[in-house]
Amino acid sequence: MADIRGYMDDSTTTALNLTFLMTLGMAFLMFLGHLAVFTAILLLAGAGRVLALILTAARVGCRKNSR
């Protein structure tokens, strides 16, 4: 059976592992950031839709009362 202790002490292997793990970490953080932005955009769109409905209903109500 091969002894893997010699490979674990290699600084190149350690650097490559750290680079890979940091890349995965950054990808995960970017995913969370995109998820937060997408959620915020959906919330803003929903709030705008509700505001438009309220303003439209108020305008129609004012029109009915003026006749």
Side-chain angles (χ1 to χ4, degrees):
M1 190 161 122
D3 187 17
I4 63 169
R5 280 181 281 167
Y7 295 111
M8 296 303 286
D9 292 334
D10 189 12
S11 63
T12 303
T13 303
T14 304
L16 287 175
N17 284 335
L18 288 175
T19 302
F20 176 69
L21 291 176
M22 291 302 289
T23 302
L24 285 180
M26 284 302 299
F28 182 69
L29 287 176
M30 289 173 68
F31 170 75
L32 290 179
H34 285 121
L35 189 66
V37 168
F38 185 69
T39 303
I41 288 172
L42 286 178
L43 287 173
L44 285 173
R49 175 72 176 150
V50 168
L51 183 63
L53 286 172
I54 290 170
L55 292 176
T56 303
R59 193 171 70 172
V60 169
C62 289
R63 223 183 266 171
K64 283 185 179 179
N65 291 336
S66 66
R67 287 183 183 185

